[in-house]
Amino acid sequence: MRAPLLLLLLLLAACAPPPCAAAAPTPPGWEPSADAPWCPYKVLPEGPEAGGGRLCFRSPARGFRCQAPACAAHASAGRSLRASVLRNRSVLLQWRLAPAEARRVRAFALNCSWRGAYTRFPCERVLLGASCRDYLLPDVHDGVRYRLCLQSLPLRAEPAVAPEPTVVPEPAASAECVEFAAEPAGMREIVVAMTAVGGSICVMLVVICLLVAYITENLMHPAFGRPGLRRQP
């Protein structure tokens, strides 16, 4: 009797689904201020020229939560830049700044590149306003290694009215970079199918173990002679 019950407990422990990761709320500093309802940005054309591009506006993604398995989060080395890769092959890029640093920023420069077999190729260059704290890449390719780098551009030094010692402008901050690769859609379907099949097999094994335990306890156990129940001649 102990062997079937022990086997049943082991199967239940093996088939138990992993605990779902709760969606963590957006930490403070990752969202723009309440008085910044729009994010102005400009997608720059490819090539060495920095001008051009059409000015656009987008509303910030307030209250966004990255929850598996529909979203995979990747962070930069400095933890101030993160990329949330969604199942629909879009990527939400978010960044945060300290209040003192945010007052000295006039814009953000976003550079996107992807890794080829022998070199890296540029994919997008975006200039974002100082009030922006996120940007959405609408479409990324499966299985390609992307690298997104964000650099804050400081305010320009104002010219001095009277002759004063030369003021050295503050250098631009180093860029924060994050790398990620979108999981292929076919691989996600295979994982879901294997999970469903594995769950069905676990249910069948649990039912079989219950039947074995019932048969062992109620049918096979009385077959062994009980001295106290034998009929006297």
Side-chain angles (χ1 to χ4, degrees):
M1 180 59 187
R2 293 181 179 178
L5 288 178
L6 181 59
L7 180 60
L8 177 61
L9 292 175
L10 292 176
L11 285 175
L12 289 175
C15 296
C20 298
T26 304
W30 288 98
E31 293 186 355
S33 58
D35 57 351
W38 299 102
C39 167
Y41 69 95
K42 182 184 293 187
V43 179
L44 303 178
E46 297 182 0
E49 66 276 4
R54 185 179 61 178
L55 181 64
C56 304
F57 295 87
R58 63 179 301 271
S59 57
R62 300 183 186 275
F64 173 78
R65 296 184 179 185
C66 184
Q67 184 177 9
C71 175
H74 305 268
S76 62
R79 315 300 297 181
S80 60
L81 178 67
R82 68 180 182 185
S84 301
V85 184
L86 305 176
R87 183 174 291 180
N88 60 357
R89 296 190 306 176
S90 62
V91 179
L92 180 64
L93 192 69
Q94 296 175 294
W95 59 92
R96 60 181 176 181
L97 292 175
E101 185 180 0
R103 289 191 292 267
R104 299 193 301 266
V105 172
R106 62 180 174 88
F108 297 97
L110 175 64
N111 291 290
C112 171
S113 62
W114 60 276
R115 182 185 301 173
Y118 301 100
T119 184
R120 303 194 67 91
F121 299 92
C123 52
E124 194 166 343
R125 294 189 305 141
V126 185
L127 188 65
L128 301 111
S131 61
C132 299
R133 291 297 180 271
D134 58 54
Y135 181 74
L136 183 67
L137 291 176
D139 190 14
V140 295
H141 298 284
D142 296 337
V144 177
R145 191 73 180 176
Y146 285 89
R147 180 182 176 89
L148 299 176
C149 293
L150 184 76
Q151 184 178 16
S152 58
L153 305 179
L155 294 171
R156 296 186 177 93
E158 298 181 358
V161 178
E164 293 181 357
T166 304
V167 178
V168 179
E170 186 177 348
S174 57
E176 283 281 336
C177 298
V178 60
E179 293 190 6
F180 63 89
E183 183 182 356
M187 182 62 66
R188 288 196 298 265
E189 295 176 358
I190 292 175
V191 171
V192 171
M194 291 180 63
T195 304
V197 172
S200 301
I201 293 175
C202 286
V203 172
M204 292 177 60
L205 291 176
V206 169
V207 171
I208 292 174
C209 286
L210 289 174
L211 290 175
V212 170
Y214 176 80
I215 293 172
T216 304
E217 177 68 17
N218 297 284
L219 300 181
M220 297 181 63
H221 189 72
F224 299 97
R226 295 184 180 179
L229 298 179
R230 291 180 181 176
R231 293 185 179 181
Q232 298 296 332

